[in-house]
């Protein structure tokens, strides 16, 4: 099986070959923890979680080291503190935990490493000192800035040329800059802002804090090494964030590349606009999880090729849930026949070949539905003729389905639990009403029994009567 990945730097799909198959390294830019993550923030988390799972399947769980950082020092965090009066440490701890819980609910595995910006201040200061010694950074009015003229290849990743750099970029134009596009590595902190003392070697005194771009370079070098295999993030991070990472890392590490493969996912859109907090058109993961199962959100996020834009609508999530309902219905029908992963290995390898073509999840979903259709036909036959070969074929197909689910982070629920989730009525209350209905039926009070059935149906609960007693499921 060959894993092909689209490399943004090369602008083509390339065969993935790690530096060391015994230590495959990947870094993805994580959240800035000052508020709830919106569903657009979840797309890179889910996309690169699939890649993490696929790499672990190919190379082994212990051989893949995946770091996803947490930015816990930032102007937005400081602003949230100033507006609410809540201590910065409390804001960042609260929203980091919410982020982990929300991502866990949509099936995202914990990364191998979760470095924080504040945990790497010393490493950032060392990196800045190295850049100053190399002549690639300079101090000015309490700031330290990267000298863009020190790196001739700047713009190679994004294709942004020097003349267009200022347009639409998060670049502060200031009189103390040598070049308008020079970016901040370190900036002064006010008395009421968090800060750390500048090293004496920088030539000035005072408290300050790191620039955003610097953080990732320091965390990568400290935790994964000078050059990593894969660096991932959203399409909007190519410029200036990833360009700045590349420049400062190369200049401090004698030209060594920061990453061998660069991968970027497309935007989530609301209509024709990119989803973003600044536009006020966001839907948070936290809110959506109150309405939909986490797997439905995950399916929706994987329903388009990861590099393409994805329009987020309620209809998309409803379709995703309907697709999962179909699969869970098959798993429910076949629940008495255990999956046989060994028998399904051949077809699963074919599925992996499809997914390994640059994480082609839409094509992978098509392969899953081919398996589901085959399973449905086999189950129809098995209900007429419970032969051993049919049972074996069902077990093999089910094995394929479950292994595909493992790599995609899907089908994690028990089928019965899936069809009983997502209701606005407590399951304990449903069981109480079923008992009351059984008493009414025993007393031949069929009007009451029918009313209980109809009331539950109105709340999305279907009662199914059987000789051994009534059961229920979500409509």
């Amino acid at each position: 099986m060959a894993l092909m990945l689209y490399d943004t730097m090369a602008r083509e799909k390339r065969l993935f070959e790690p530096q060391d198959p015994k230590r495959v390294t990947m870094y993805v830019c994580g959240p800035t923890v000052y508020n709830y993550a919106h569903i657009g923030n979840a797309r890179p988390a889910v996309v690169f979680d699939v890649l993490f799972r696929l790499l672990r399947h190919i190379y082994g769980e212990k051989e893949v080291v995946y770091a996803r950082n947490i930015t816990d020092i930032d102007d937005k965090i400081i602003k949230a503190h100033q507006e609410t009066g809540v201590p910065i440490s409390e804001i960042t701890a609260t929203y980091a935990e919410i982020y982990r819980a929300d991502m866990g609910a949509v099936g995202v595995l914990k990364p191998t490493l979760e470095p924080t910006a504040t945990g790497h201040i010393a490493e950032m200061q060392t990196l800045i000192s190295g850049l100053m010694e190399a002549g690639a950074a300079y101090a000015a009015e309490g700031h330290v800035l990267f000298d863009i003229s020190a790196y001739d290849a700047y713009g190679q990743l994004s294709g942004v040329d020097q003349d267009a750099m200022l347009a639409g970029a998060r670049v502060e134009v200031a009189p103390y800059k040598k070049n308008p596009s020079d970016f901040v590595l370190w900036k002064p902190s006010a008395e009421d802002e968090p800060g750390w003392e500048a090293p004496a070697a920088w030539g000035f005194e005072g408290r300050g804090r790191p620039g955003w771009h610097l953080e990732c370079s320091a965390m990568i070098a400290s935790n994964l090494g000078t050059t990593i295999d894969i660096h991932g993030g959203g399409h909007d991070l190519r410029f200036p964030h990833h360009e700045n990472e590349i420049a400062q890392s190369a200049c401090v590490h004698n030209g060594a590349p920061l990453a061998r493969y660069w991968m970027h996912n497309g935007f989530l859109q609301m209509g024709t606009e990119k989803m973003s907090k600044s536009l006020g058109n966001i839907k948070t993961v936290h809110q959506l999880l109150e309405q939909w199962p986490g797997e439905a959100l995950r399916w929706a996020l994987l329903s388009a090729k990861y590099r393409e834009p994805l329009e987020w609508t309620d209809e998309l999530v409803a379709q995703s849930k309907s697709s999962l309902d179909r699969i869970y219905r098959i798993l429910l029908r076949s629940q008495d026949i255990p999956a046989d992963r060994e028998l399904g290995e051949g077809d699963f390898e074919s599925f992996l070949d499809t997914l390994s073509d640059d994480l082609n999840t839409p094509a992978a979903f098509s392969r899953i539905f081919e398996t589901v259709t085959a399973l449905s036909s086999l189950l129809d036959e098995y209900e007429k003729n419970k032969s051993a070969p049919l049972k074996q074929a069902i077990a093999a197909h089910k094995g394929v389905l479950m292994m595909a689910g493992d790599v995609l982070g899907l089908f994690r629920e028990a089928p019965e639990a899936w069809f009983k989730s997502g209701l606005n009525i407590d399951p304990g209350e449903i069981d109480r009403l079923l008992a009351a209905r059984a008493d009414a039926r025993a007393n031949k009070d069929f009007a009451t029994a029918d009313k209980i059935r109809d009331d539950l149906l109105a709340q999305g609960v279907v009662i199914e009567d059987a000789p051994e007693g009534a059961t229920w499921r979500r409509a």
Side-chain angles (χ1 to χ4, degrees):
M1 179 189 66
L3 175 57
M4 301 295 294
L5 298 176
Y6 185 87
D7 180 5
T8 307
M9 184 72 80
R11 290 164 177 72
E12 65 179 3
K13 283 194 281 190
R14 295 173 53 210
L15 176 67
F16 177 69
E17 296 177 305
Q19 297 177 97
D20 179 3
K22 295 296 182 183
R23 191 174 186 269
V24 182
T25 51
M26 179 169 71
Y27 180 92
V28 175
C29 296
T32 300
V33 284
Y34 69 100
N35 207 329
Y36 292 98
H38 63 68
I39 190 64
N41 301 140
R43 193 178 195 191
V46 168
V47 164
F48 290 104
D49 178 70
V50 172
L51 180 55
F52 181 36
R53 291 168 181 267
L54 183 57
L55 291 170
R56 297 203 319 173
H57 177 82
I58 297 169
Y59 296 99
E61 290 189 10
K62 294 181 179 179
E63 281 68 36
V64 182
V65 184
Y66 170 30
R68 185 189 67 210
N69 77 297
I70 286 182
T71 296
D72 56 354
I73 177 65
D74 182 86
D75 290 348
K76 294 174 182 177
I77 296 171
I78 295 170
K79 183 180 178 182
H81 158 67
Q82 292 170 342
E83 290 176 347
T84 64
V86 178
I88 284 177
S89 59
E90 186 176 334
I91 291 172
T92 57
T94 297
Y95 286 109
E97 193 54 39
I98 289 172
Y99 179 84
R100 295 184 191 104
D102 287 349
M103 294 308 107
V106 295
V108 173
L109 297 172
K110 292 181 179 179
T112 317
L113 304 171
E114 195 180 55
T116 63
T118 56
H120 291 77
I121 298 297
E123 290 84 351
M124 293 178 205
Q125 291 183 332
T126 298
L127 193 154
I128 290 173
S129 296
L131 287 171
M132 295 177 80
E133 290 169 9
Y138 59 94
E141 298 185 19
H143 296 73
V144 181
L145 298 108
F146 182 85
D147 185 349
I148 206 76
S149 65
Y151 188 63
D152 292 338
Y154 192 89
Q156 186 178 3
L157 178 71
S158 63
V160 176
D161 60 37
Q162 290 283 343
D163 293 334
M165 258 176 225
L166 293 178
R170 285 177 278 183
V171 176
E172 180 188 356
V173 179
Y176 49 77
K177 290 185 176 184
K178 291 182 179 179
N179 309 291
S181 299
D182 291 351
F183 58 88
V184 173
L185 300 170
W186 190 266
K187 57 186 173 182
S189 293
E191 288 186 8
D192 61 344
E193 295 175 340
W196 293 262
E197 289 295 328
W202 293 359
F204 63 88
E205 296 180 351
R207 295 166 60 257
R209 60 187 188 275
W212 174 44
H213 310 301
L214 177 78
E215 297 172 5
C216 289
S217 287
M219 287 185 274
I220 289 170
S222 175
N223 292 279
L224 299 178
T226 300
T227 301
I228 61 173
D229 289 310
I230 299 169
H231 194 315
H235 181 83
D236 56 330
L237 297 183
R238 293 182 310 155
F239 179 81
H241 184 52
H242 288 165
E243 288 285 12
N244 292 354
E245 282 186 55
I246 290 168
Q248 63 202 8
S249 295
C251 287
V252 83
H253 294 135
N254 298 313
L258 177 57
R260 301 173 68 247
Y261 298 79
W262 286 88
M263 297 178 65
H264 296 89
N265 63 272
F267 294 132
L268 239 63
Q269 295 178 329
M270 297 291 287
T272 59
E273 293 182 320
K274 169 196 166 187
M275 186 184 296
S276 72
K277 292 185 177 76
S278 61
L279 292 173
N281 61 352
I282 66 169
K283 291 193 175 183
T284 71
V285 180
H286 211 69
Q287 292 167 331
L288 288 166
L289 286 169
E290 295 175 356
Q291 307 167 39
W292 302 98
E295 281 197 16
L297 302 182
R298 186 180 181 92
W299 185 286
L301 288 167
L302 296 174
S303 61
K305 292 183 178 179
Y306 78 93
R307 290 191 289 119
E308 297 177 354
L310 174 63
E311 186 172 351
W312 190 264
T313 64
D314 289 341
E315 290 76 18
L316 172 66
V317 189
Q319 291 168 5
S320 299
K321 181 180 168 299
S322 179
S323 296
L324 287 162
D325 283 345
R326 180 183 171 192
I327 295 165
Y328 273 108
R329 201 169 291 117
I330 285 294
L331 293 175
L332 189 62
R333 283 184 66 192
S334 62
Q335 64 181 339
D336 294 332
I337 301 176
D340 192 320
R341 294 169 182 251
E342 187 174 343
L343 282 175
E345 189 63 38
D347 286 338
F348 175 59
E349 288 300 319
S350 179
F351 165 85
L352 283 179
D353 287 340
T354 299
L355 183 62
S356 297
D357 182 11
D358 195 32
L359 303 185
N360 192 340
T361 50
F365 284 176
S366 295
R367 297 298 299 269
I368 284 173
F369 280 122
E370 289 173 9
T371 302
V372 168
T373 299
L375 255 176
S376 181
S377 298
L378 287 167
L379 287 164
D380 289 343
E381 290 298 316
Y382 187 70
E383 287 168 3
K384 302 172 189 174
N385 173 25
K386 290 183 167 50
S387 69
L390 280 172
K391 185 176 182 180
Q392 189 175 60
I394 291 168
H397 279 72
K398 192 173 176 182
V400 175
L401 197 57
M402 300 314 295
M403 287 188 286
D406 289 345
V407 175
L408 291 171
L410 295 166
F411 323 140
R412 296 173 289 121
E413 297 275 353
E416 299 93 336
W418 174 262
F419 286 109
K420 290 183 177 181
S421 65
L423 295 168
N424 293 323
I425 180 172
D426 184 81
E429 176 63 10
I430 298 174
D431 292 337
R432 188 191 70 76
L433 290 169
L434 282 187
R437 179 174 178 269
D439 290 343
R441 284 164 62 90
N443 294 324
K444 301 189 184 301
D445 183 0
F446 298 112
T448 297
D450 288 348
K451 185 177 186 306
I452 291 172
R453 180 199 61 205
D454 293 343
D455 288 346
L456 285 171
L457 183 60
Q459 297 180 79
V461 178
V462 174
I463 294 176
E464 296 178 335
D465 291 309
E468 60 273 17
T471 58
W472 65 271
R473 62 175 174 82
R474 190 183 67 216

